[in-house]
Amino acid sequence: MTKYFADVSSFQPDNLGFFQGLVNAGVSGIMIKTTQGSPDGDNYINPKSTAQAKNALAAGMNVGFYHYFLATSVTDAINEAKFFEQSVVNLGFGKDTPLCVDVEDPSLDTAHVASYVDTFISYLETQGYTNVFQYSMASWFNEGILNANKYPTWVANYGSSDCGARGNIVAWQYTSSWGGGSQDMSYDWGIFDKQPAKTEAATQPTVEPEKPKVENVIKLTEQTHPVDRLGIERPETYEVGSTWKSSDIVMINDEPHYQIATDIFVPLSKTEFKDFIIVKYTDDSPAPVFDSKGNWVQNASVSTGKSFKTAGFKVINDIMMAKIATNEFIPFEYTSGSKFE
């Protein structure tokens, strides 16, 4: 099956509907421009990159990033690479994220740009990034300005039945007017579906990773008197560090409580979960997340086994929810300690 990916910058939308439309059309990946130049030069960061990455993920897309290259020296190339890397770190993406250097600006010194690209890519690889590649038009590879054999290469060549270049070609941007508009589109031959290097271990039988398992175990962080369902304090005392199996989370005296026996509850604020939650939902789907007005928010990262720092809780639509982002809340029903199955 042919795989496609689009690329976007601040000229494209950043809303969820845009990315969902791409997915509905069979586009599974997205390359997002994050930076251009260096802090000493253009110092440009795509103002839409955060929302574009978030909503692309929410739509279920594979996400990578690219940097628009303007380096005029080796030192400048290193500064641009650091600038780009920091943007990826700030967005919360890891070392296996597809990262590309976009080499096409007419101001570039074509006699020396290849060495600057070497420096840029080398820096990222020494930082541990494992999926780094270059982009340019086919003519720059055919004229020897850049070497398509030296690095994985994403080549641009429009209006042709061929990508127009030979070498380590991992993607072909074949149009800039996909869908009748001004959207770039590319064939993916090894960016988002990159295969690991073949090793002896790779020939062994594949073992499916164990699915996340969430236990309803809570741990007390201070000495605690439990309460009954009416909020009346019970005489016994539970010690710091003691652990209990919870069967449900209920609201008592305007605070979430874990149920640890038939009519015995301990407040969330006295457990390790007062500052974070562990998602407990179905194996293959992200848990429902809502904004402060009760509107559903798509967030593909909120999946079973993932933990999130919390900033208190709020009752929304008569449901108590933990705050996991600026305006994102997850019902306690979908967290460790609940009776959700």
Side-chain angles (χ1 to χ4, degrees):
M1 179 178 177
T2 303
K3 293 188 177 181
Y4 302 89
F5 69 90
D7 56 275
V8 297
S9 64
S10 61
F11 293 109
Q12 279 76 37
D14 59 2
N15 59 79
L16 178 59
F18 170 74
F19 295 101
Q20 192 63 62
L22 289 173
V23 171
N24 293 343
V27 182
S28 60
I30 195 81
M31 291 293 296
I32 300 171
K33 178 179 179 178
T34 61
T35 49
Q36 176 174 310
S38 68
D40 298 330
D42 279 22
N43 194 28
Y44 174 83
I45 298 176
N46 174 9
K48 293 183 179 180
S49 58
T50 299
Q52 286 173 332
K54 175 183 175 181
N55 285 320
L57 286 174
M61 304 187 83
N62 297 308
V63 176
F65 302 101
Y66 72 92
H67 169 84
Y68 194 82
F69 197 60
L70 293 173
T72 57
S73 67
V74 168
T75 299
D76 203 17
I78 294 174
N79 289 336
E80 291 200 13
K82 290 180 177 179
F83 186 41
F84 180 40
E85 179 194 18
Q86 190 60 55
S87 73
V88 176
V89 171
N90 291 345
L91 288 167
F93 284 73
K95 301 288 187 178
D96 60 346
T97 304
L99 301 182
C100 182
V101 54
D102 178 352
V103 190
E104 61 176 295
D105 195 86
S107 70
L108 291 170
D109 178 357
T110 55
H112 300 96
V113 69
S115 65
Y116 304 155
V117 170
D118 288 345
T119 301
F120 184 97
I121 291 178
S122 176
Y123 174 84
L124 291 176
E125 290 180 337
T126 59
Q127 300 308 303
Y129 290 91
T130 59
N131 195 355
V132 185
F133 51 101
Q134 60 184 344
Y135 164 94
S136 192
M137 45 282 216
S139 60
W140 278 34
F141 298 110
N142 294 328
E143 293 168 14
I145 297 171
L146 296 172
N147 187 344
N149 286 296
K150 193 167 188 178
Y151 304 108
T153 295
W154 174 20
V155 61
N157 191 39
Y158 308 148
S160 172
S161 59
D162 187 272
C163 69
R166 296 295 179 264
N168 187 7
I169 309 298
V170 293
W172 170 23
Q173 187 184 77
Y174 66 92
T175 183
S176 60
S177 55
W178 180 82
S182 57
Q183 177 61 59
D184 296 339
M185 191 61 63
S186 300
Y187 294 116
D188 182 4
W189 296 331
I191 291 178
F192 293 109
D193 60 352
K194 181 180 180 181
Q195 299 299 310
K198 290 184 177 180
T199 64
E200 183 177 349
T203 66
Q204 301 302 313
T206 301
V207 177
E208 290 295 326
E210 184 177 349
K211 292 182 178 179
K213 186 177 181 180
V214 180
E215 300 286 354
N216 282 354
V217 177
I218 64 168
K219 184 177 182 180
L220 297 179
T221 55
E222 57 183 277
Q223 194 175 69
T224 303
H225 284 287
V227 299
D228 63 19
R229 192 174 297 275
L230 298 178
I232 300 173
E233 189 174 283
R234 296 175 61 92
E236 61 264 36
T237 300
Y238 298 146
E239 296 301 319
V240 175
S242 60
T243 57
W244 304 85
K245 192 74 174 285
S246 172
S247 60
D248 199 6
I249 308 174
V250 300
M251 189 72 89
I252 300 175
N253 295 335
D254 297 323
E255 181 183 352
H257 282 63
Y258 292 101
Q259 182 174 5
I260 61 174
T262 301
D263 195 28
I264 301 179
F265 303 82
V266 293
L268 175 146
S269 62
K270 295 186 178 182
T271 74
E272 61 182 346
F273 291 125
K274 67 179 179 180
D275 295 320
F276 80 100
I277 56 93
I278 300 175
V279 180
K280 178 186 179 185
Y281 198 60
T282 56
D283 290 333
D284 302 320
S285 304
V289 177
F290 301 85
D291 64 20
S292 60
K293 295 182 179 180
N295 300 309
W296 180 45
V297 178
Q298 292 195 41
N299 188 335
S301 68
V302 186
S303 57
T304 293
K306 294 290 185 67
S307 62
F308 293 86
K309 283 187 171 293
T310 57
F313 62 92
K314 183 181 181 69
V315 177
I316 303 172
N317 294 343
D318 296 323
I319 300 172
M320 57 179 174
M321 305 188 189
K323 184 177 183 179
I324 60 172
T326 302
N327 191 27
E328 293 187 3
F329 301 80
I330 180 173
F332 276 106
E333 177 184 0
Y334 306 129
T335 69
S336 179
S338 76
K339 63 180 179 181
F340 179 83
E341 294 182 352

